Amino acid sequence: MLEINEKLLNDIHLHGESTYPEEGAGFLLGTETDPRQVVAILPVKNMREDGTRHNRYLIEPLDYLKADNEANEMGLSLIGIFHSHPDHPNRPSEFDREGAQPSFSYLITSVNKGQAVESRSWQLLEDRSKFEEEPINIHE
Amino acid sequence: MAILKIPTPLRPYTGGMSDINVDGENVGHALDSLLAQYPDIGKHLYNDDAQLRAFVNLFLGEDNIKDLQGLETPLSETDSLRIIPSIAGGAKG
C-alpha cells in the first residue's frame, strides 16, 4: 500500500502535464513504514537524448545521489519513482521492468493529449519476473 | 577492508545495512565479497549472462568505475565504493 496526499498526487500530475509530450519523472520521498507514505516529491530532468523522451526517461546516477542526500537531510528515504506515460496506459512496460529497482514503488501517470488522467503504482516482484500493482490510498 | 555503500532499494538484501565491509584488491573482488555475504542481492546486480546490469553504477569517490578501469579498478582498504542506480524506463515496451 502506498499512501499519498491529494496535493502531492496533483503535483505529480501537473509535472506530467508540464513535460508532455515527453515523459516526466522524479523521486518519491517518504517513510518505509507499512503502508509506506509519500511525504515529498523531487522532480528531476529526463536525461534521455532528444527524440526519445516521448517514450523513455532516464535519471542519471549523480541525480540519484543528489536526491538520496536530499532525502537524508529531510529524515526521509527514497521510496520510489514517479513517471508519466504520454498517450499510453499507466501500466509498466517491459523496459520499465528491465530497469526497475526492487522494493521501490513505481507510480505511473497516463497523460492523454496533455491531460493527466490517472496514476497507478507498481512494484517489481522479488524474482524480477513482472510488476505487481500496489494499492494507492489517496488522502487529504 | 573497503566499505561498499548500498542504495536504499537494495538494502532489504543486506539486512537493512547501508555500509558493508568488503574484501578485495579491486572492485570486482569487492562485489564478490558482497555476494559471498549477501547472495540474494546478486540477481539485482547481475543479469542472466552474469554481466552487471546496465543501470547498476559503481562510484569510487566521484568517479564512475566505467571511467577508471571498470571491475579491475584497484581498491585500498580505506576506499569507499558506492553502488548508485541510474533509473530508466518508459512507455515503449
Side-chain angles (χ1 to χ4, degrees):
Chain A
M1 169 81 76
L2 184 71
E3 291 200 340
I4 187 168
N5 68 42
E6 287 176 354
K7 181 188 180 306
L8 288 176
L9 187 59
N10 189 51
D11 288 346
I12 288 171
H13 287 185
L14 289 174
H15 185 259
E17 292 175 356
S18 72
T19 59
Y20 183 90
E22 296 179 348
E23 295 201 5
F27 290 94
L28 304 173
L29 281 60
T31 59
E32 295 174 283
T33 47
D34 184 19
R36 47 178 48 192
Q37 298 210 356
V38 182
V39 176
I41 64 165
L42 186 63
V44 293
K45 186 175 169 66
N46 182 351
M47 296 304 287
R48 280 298 300 244
E49 63 274 24
D50 290 348
T52 65
R53 290 192 291 268
H54 62 291
N55 59 19
R56 287 279 186 265
Y57 75 92
L58 173 65
I59 300 173
E60 293 197 326
L62 290 180
D63 284 331
Y64 182 99
L65 186 56
K66 189 176 166 188
D68 194 37
N69 289 338
E70 197 157 325
N72 288 336
E73 285 171 11
M74 297 169 72
L76 301 172
S77 299
L78 299 182
I79 61 170
I81 302 293
F82 68 88
H83 74 279
S84 61
H85 279 182
D87 299 317
H88 276 78
N90 48 11
R91 56 176 53 250
S93 68
E94 175 61 14
F95 191 68
D96 282 325
R97 187 185 66 81
E98 288 173 10
Q101 296 297 315
S103 78
F104 263 7
S105 293
Y106 281 81
L107 188 76
I108 303 178
T109 304
S110 55
V111 181
N112 293 340
K113 298 179 180 174
Q115 188 83 34
V117 178
E118 183 200 33
S119 293
R120 295 167 77 182
S121 188
W122 307 84
Q123 284 190 297
L124 185 67
L125 288 186
E126 166 65 27
D127 64 1
R128 301 190 65 90
S129 61
K130 63 178 182 178
F131 278 96
E132 187 171 65
E133 185 161 13
E134 173 187 43
I136 303 177
N137 181 23
I138 304 166
H139 57 89
E140 287 186 4
Chain B
M1 280 186 164
I3 289 175
L4 179 53
K5 291 184 173 292
I6 308 296
T8 312
L10 295 180
R11 286 180 201 161
Y13 303 94
T14 58
M17 305 269 285
S18 60
D19 292 8
I20 307 297
N21 291 319
V22 286
D23 289 316
E25 60 197 30
N26 62 35
V27 172
H29 291 160
L31 288 176
D32 291 343
S33 174
L34 173 69
L35 262 63
Q37 299 174 69
Y38 302 102
D40 289 345
I41 202 173
K43 60 182 173 294
H44 300 297
L45 298 179
Y46 294 96
N47 62 23
D48 292 342
D49 299 323
Q51 301 296 309
L52 269 183
R53 292 186 178 277
F55 305 115
V56 173
N57 304 280
L58 288 146
F59 276 70
L60 186 56
E62 295 185 351
D63 297 316
N64 191 325
I65 63 156
K66 291 173 184 168
D67 301 323
L68 300 173
Q69 297 168 57
L71 294 176
E72 303 295 323
T73 303
L75 280 183
S76 74
E77 294 216 336
T78 57
D79 276 335
S80 179
L81 185 66
R82 183 186 283 261
I83 299 173
I84 307 178
S86 45
I87 309 289
K92 185 180 175 185

